[in-house]
Amino acid sequence: MSMNGRYARLTPAELERTLRDPGWGEEFVNELADADWDEQREASAARCHGTEKAWHALDFLLGRIGFPIDIVHGEEDIPGAEDWGHSPPCILSPKAVHMAAEALTALPVDALVRDVTPADLALADIYPVEMWERGESLEYVTSRYQALVPYFQAADRAGDTIVVWLQ
């Protein structure tokens, strides 16, 4: 079973209900994800988004450059929430989403992976290690990064909170 990075944009009312009832939030987010999948929405229009197995490499790459917001794991727990797969959901407040959107917009993809090779990711034990040991291209990670930029920009424009978890 693989671990995949997941995101969901919530309005203030949806967040409030999720904070009161995390189980409702999980069901609601699953419905949003199904609708996005069925409609094949672009990242800028989607309410839910995923980085697939690139989440750990993104965490590593963003961490090494001192990215100001933890967009991979979130910054605040949802009290009482159980795991939504491999981790409990955490939130990025509208303020954190705004800061992240600005930082993502300012960070070109080549700067994210500058001086990093698949061998470096394998040596750092970055999930999925087998991928990096085979020497697969960092394009897998950079394409997921590039899709995060419009997703966060859209969430910022809407004033949404983003819920983050590993599924």
Side-chain angles (χ1 to χ4, degrees):
M1 176 184 254
S2 64
M3 293 175 61
N4 297 288
R6 299 283 187 223
Y7 299 83
R9 293 175 38 194
L10 298 181
T11 66
E14 294 162 351
L15 174 64
E16 184 179 316
R17 181 144 183 212
T18 298
L19 291 173
R20 282 195 321 268
D21 184 355
W24 175 89
E26 182 178 15
E27 288 178 29
F28 179 70
V29 164
N30 286 333
E31 291 172 12
L32 290 176
D34 289 345
D36 283 343
W37 177 258
D38 290 345
E39 297 294 322
Q40 298 181 343
R41 292 187 179 109
E42 295 291 322
S44 61
R47 295 283 305 278
C48 294
H49 184 70
T51 56
E52 300 176 9
K53 293 184 273 186
W55 66 270
H56 198 201
L58 287 168
D59 187 46
F60 174 80
L61 294 168
L62 292 166
R64 75 185 253 287
I65 60 170
F67 199 79
I69 302 293
D70 185 353
I71 64 171
V72 174
H73 300 286
E75 299 212 325
E76 299 174 44
D77 293 338
I78 295 179
E82 303 210 3
D83 286 357
W84 286 11
H86 291 287
S87 74
C90 292
I91 61 173
L92 296 169
S93 68
K95 181 180 178 181
V97 169
H98 175 73
M99 291 173 55
E102 284 187 338
L104 288 165
T105 300
L107 179 63
V109 71
D110 61 321
L112 179 69
V113 295
R114 184 173 294 127
D115 300 324
V116 176
T117 66
D120 296 325
L121 297 180
L123 185 62
D125 200 32
I126 301 301
Y127 176 83
V129 175
E130 307 81 32
M131 177 183 257
W132 314 124
E133 288 174 341
R134 289 190 305 262
E136 291 192 28
S137 169
L138 292 179
E139 183 180 339
Y140 178 77
V141 177
T142 59
S143 67
R144 289 356 176 243
Y145 171 79
Q146 288 171 311
L148 274 178
V149 176
Y151 183 77
F152 270 80
Q153 290 169 335
D156 180 35
R157 282 191 302 275
D160 289 339
T161 293
I162 293 180
V163 178
V164 181
W165 73 100
L166 297 177
Q167 186 174 44

